[in-house]
mmCIF file with all atom_site columns, all heavy atoms in Angstrom:
data_model
loop_
_atom_site.group_PDB
_atom_site.id
_atom_site.type_symbol
_atom_site.label_atom_id
_atom_site.label_alt_id
_atom_site.label_comp_id
_atom_site.label_asym_id
_atom_site.label_entity_id
_atom_site.label_seq_id
_atom_site.pdbx_PDB_ins_code
_atom_site.Cartn_x
_atom_site.Cartn_y
_atom_site.Cartn_z
_atom_site.occupancy
_atom_site.B_iso_or_equiv
_atom_site.pdbx_formal_charge
_atom_site.auth_seq_id
_atom_site.auth_comp_id
_atom_site.auth_asym_id
_atom_site.auth_atom_id
_atom_site.pdbx_PDB_model_num
ATOM 1  N N   . GLU A 1 87 ? 18.718 10.804 2.401  1.00 90.00 ? 87 GLU A N   1
ATOM 2  C CA  . GLU A 1 87 ? 19.185 10.130 3.623  1.00 90.00 ? 87 GLU A CA  1
ATOM 3  C C   . GLU A 1 87 ? 19.097 11.033 4.848  1.00 90.00 ? 87 GLU A C   1
ATOM 4  O O   . GLU A 1 87 ? 18.905 10.559 5.964  1.00 90.00 ? 87 GLU A O   1
ATOM 5  C CB  . GLU A 1 87 ? 20.635 9.659  3.433  1.00 90.00 ? 87 GLU A CB  1
ATOM 6  C CG  . GLU A 1 87 ? 20.778 8.507  2.449  1.00 90.00 ? 87 GLU A CG  1
ATOM 7  C CD  . GLU A 1 87 ? 22.211 8.034  2.360  1.00 90.00 ? 87 GLU A CD  1
ATOM 8  O OE1 . GLU A 1 87 ? 23.065 8.594  3.084  1.00 90.00 ? 87 GLU A OE1 1
ATOM 9  O OE2 . GLU A 1 87 ? 22.477 7.110  1.574  1.00 90.00 ? 87 GLU A OE2 1
ATOM 10 N N   . GLU A 1 88 ? 19.246 12.330 4.645  1.00 90.00 ? 88 GLU A N   1
ATOM 11 C CA  . GLU A 1 88 ? 19.205 13.291 5.751  1.00 90.00 ? 88 GLU A CA  1
ATOM 12 C C   . GLU A 1 88 ? 17.874 13.237 6.497  1.00 90.00 ? 88 GLU A C   1
ATOM 13 O O   . GLU A 1 88 ? 17.800 13.564 7.679  1.00 90.00 ? 88 GLU A O   1
ATOM 14 C CB  . GLU A 1 88 ? 19.443 14.706 5.210  1.00 90.00 ? 88 GLU A CB  1
ATOM 15 C CG  . GLU A 1 88 ? 19.430 15.801 6.252  1.00 90.00 ? 88 GLU A CG  1
ATOM 16 C CD  . GLU A 1 88 ? 19.605 17.175 5.648  1.00 90.00 ? 88 GLU A CD  1
ATOM 17 O OE1 . GLU A 1 88 ? 19.860 17.265 4.421  1.00 90.00 ? 88 GLU A OE1 1
ATOM 18 O OE2 . GLU A 1 88 ? 19.492 18.167 6.394  1.00 90.00 ? 88 GLU A OE2 1
ATOM 19 N N   . TYR A 1 89 ? 16.813 12.809 5.804  1.00 91.00 ? 89 TYR A N   1
ATOM 20 C CA  . TYR A 1 89 ? 15.476 12.820 6.383  1.00 91.00 ? 89 TYR A CA  1
ATOM 21 C C   . TYR A 1 89 ? 15.000 11.425 6.797  1.00 91.00 ? 89 TYR A C   1
ATOM 22 O O   . TYR A 1 89 ? 13.868 11.268 7.236  1.00 91.00 ? 89 TYR A O   1
ATOM 23 C CB  . TYR A 1 89 ? 14.484 13.427 5.385  1.00 91.00 ? 89 TYR A CB  1
ATOM 24 C CG  . TYR A 1 89 ? 14.795 14.871 5.070  1.00 91.00 ? 89 TYR A CG  1
ATOM 25 C CD1 . TYR A 1 89 ? 15.612 15.206 3.992  1.00 91.00 ? 89 TYR A CD1 1
ATOM 26 C CD2 . TYR A 1 89 ? 14.305 15.900 5.868  1.00 91.00 ? 89 TYR A CD2 1
ATOM 27 C CE1 . TYR A 1 89 ? 15.915 16.524 3.708  1.00 91.00 ? 89 TYR A CE1 1
ATOM 28 C CE2 . TYR A 1 89 ? 14.608 17.214 5.595  1.00 91.00 ? 89 TYR A CE2 1
ATOM 29 C CZ  . TYR A 1 89 ? 15.418 17.521 4.515  1.00 91.00 ? 89 TYR A CZ  1
ATOM 30 O OH  . TYR A 1 89 ? 15.733 18.835 4.246  1.00 91.00 ? 89 TYR A OH  1
ATOM 31 N N   . GLN A 1 90 ? 15.865 10.440 6.662  1.00 87.00 ? 90 GLN A N   1
ATOM 32 C CA  . GLN A 1 90 ? 15.490 9.091  7.053  1.00 87.00 ? 90 GLN A CA  1
ATOM 33 C C   . GLN A 1 90 ? 15.885 8.826  8.496  1.00 87.00 ? 90 GLN A C   1
ATOM 34 O O   . GLN A 1 90 ? 16.872 9.358  8.993  1.00 87.00 ? 90 GLN A O   1
ATOM 35 C CB  . GLN A 1 90 ? 16.153 8.076  6.123  1.00 87.00 ? 90 GLN A CB  1
ATOM 36 C CG  . GLN A 1 90 ? 15.668 8.187  4.678  1.00 87.00 ? 90 GLN A CG  1
ATOM 37 C CD  . GLN A 1 90 ? 16.180 7.064  3.805  1.00 87.00 ? 90 GLN A CD  1
ATOM 38 O OE1 . GLN A 1 90 ? 16.693 6.076  4.303  1.00 87.00 ? 90 GLN A OE1 1
ATOM 39 N NE2 . GLN A 1 90 ? 16.014 7.200  2.496  1.00 87.00 ? 90 GLN A NE2 1
ATOM 40 N N   . SER A 1 91 ? 15.087 8.033  9.168  1.00 82.00 ? 91 SER A N   1
ATOM 41 C CA  . SER A 1 91 ? 15.319 7.723  10.577 1.00 82.00 ? 91 SER A CA  1
ATOM 42 C C   . SER A 1 91 ? 15.873 6.316  10.723 1.00 82.00 ? 91 SER A C   1
ATOM 43 O O   . SER A 1 91 ? 15.418 5.383  10.053 1.00 82.00 ? 91 SER A O   1
ATOM 44 C CB  . SER A 1 91 ? 14.008 7.845  11.368 1.00 82.00 ? 91 SER A CB  1
ATOM 45 O OG  . SER A 1 91 ? 14.143 7.344  12.668 1.00 82.00 ? 91 SER A OG  1
ATOM 46 N N   . GLU A 1 92 ? 16.884 6.160  11.589 1.00 78.00 ? 92 GLU A N   1
ATOM 47 C CA  . GLU A 1 92 ? 17.478 4.848  11.821 1.00 78.00 ? 92 GLU A CA  1
ATOM 48 C C   . GLU A 1 92 ? 16.473 3.875  12.445 1.00 78.00 ? 92 GLU A C   1
ATOM 49 O O   . GLU A 1 92 ? 16.549 2.672  12.239 1.00 78.00 ? 92 GLU A O   1
ATOM 50 C CB  . GLU A 1 92 ? 18.701 4.977  12.724 1.00 78.00 ? 92 GLU A CB  1
ATOM 51 C CG  . GLU A 1 92 ? 19.868 5.736  12.085 1.00 78.00 ? 92 GLU A CG  1
ATOM 52 C CD  . GLU A 1 92 ? 21.074 5.806  12.999 1.00 78.00 ? 92 GLU A CD  1
ATOM 53 O OE1 . GLU A 1 92 ? 20.983 5.274  14.123 1.00 78.00 ? 92 GLU A OE1 1
ATOM 54 O OE2 . GLU A 1 92 ? 22.084 6.394  12.587 1.00 78.00 ? 92 GLU A OE2 1
ATOM 55 N N   . SER A 1 93 ? 15.532 4.419  13.200 1.00 76.00 ? 93 SER A N   1
ATOM 56 C CA  . SER A 1 93 ? 14.529 3.571  13.853 1.00 76.00 ? 93 SER A CA  1
ATOM 57 C C   . SER A 1 93 ? 13.445 3.107  12.893 1.00 76.00 ? 93 SER A C   1
ATOM 58 O O   . SER A 1 93 ? 12.624 2.262  13.232 1.00 76.00 ? 93 SER A O   1
ATOM 59 C CB  . SER A 1 93 ? 13.887 4.325  15.017 1.00 76.00 ? 93 SER A CB  1
ATOM 60 O OG  . SER A 1 93 ? 13.137 5.435  14.541 1.00 76.00 ? 93 SER A OG  1
ATOM 61 N N   . GLY A 1 94 ? 13.419 3.693  11.690 1.00 74.00 ? 94 GLY A N   1
ATOM 62 C CA  . GLY A 1 94 ? 12.385 3.348  10.726 1.00 74.00 ? 94 GLY A CA  1
ATOM 63 C C   . GLY A 1 94 ? 11.108 4.142  10.916 1.00 74.00 ? 94 GLY A C   1
ATOM 64 O O   . GLY A 1 94 ? 10.167 4.026  10.143 1.00 74.00 ? 94 GLY A O   1
ATOM 65 N N   . GLU A 1 95 ? 11.068 4.967  11.967 1.00 81.00 ? 95 GLU A N   1
ATOM 66 C CA  . GLU A 1 95 ? 9.882  5.795  12.221 1.00 81.00 ? 95 GLU A CA  1
ATOM 67 C C   . GLU A 1 95 ? 9.796  6.915  11.200 1.00 81.00 ? 95 GLU A C   1
ATOM 68 O O   . GLU A 1 95 ? 10.811 7.379  10.675 1.00 81.00 ? 95 GLU A O   1
ATOM 69 C CB  . GLU A 1 95 ? 9.972  6.377  13.635 1.00 81.00 ? 95 GLU A CB  1
ATOM 70 C CG  . GLU A 1 95 ? 8.741  7.149  14.068 1.00 81.00 ? 95 GLU A CG  1
ATOM 71 C CD  . GLU A 1 95 ? 8.854  7.660  15.494 1.00 81.00 ? 95 GLU A CD  1
ATOM 72 O OE1 . GLU A 1 95 ? 9.458  8.738  15.682 1.00 81.00 ? 95 GLU A OE1 1
ATOM 73 O OE2 . GLU A 1 95 ? 8.361  6.977  16.403 1.00 81.00 ? 95 GLU A OE2 1
#
Side-chain angles (χ1 to χ4, degrees):
E87 290 183 1
E88 180 183 354
Y89 297 92
Q90 295 188 13
S91 170
E92 293 182 359
S93 66
E95 185 178 84

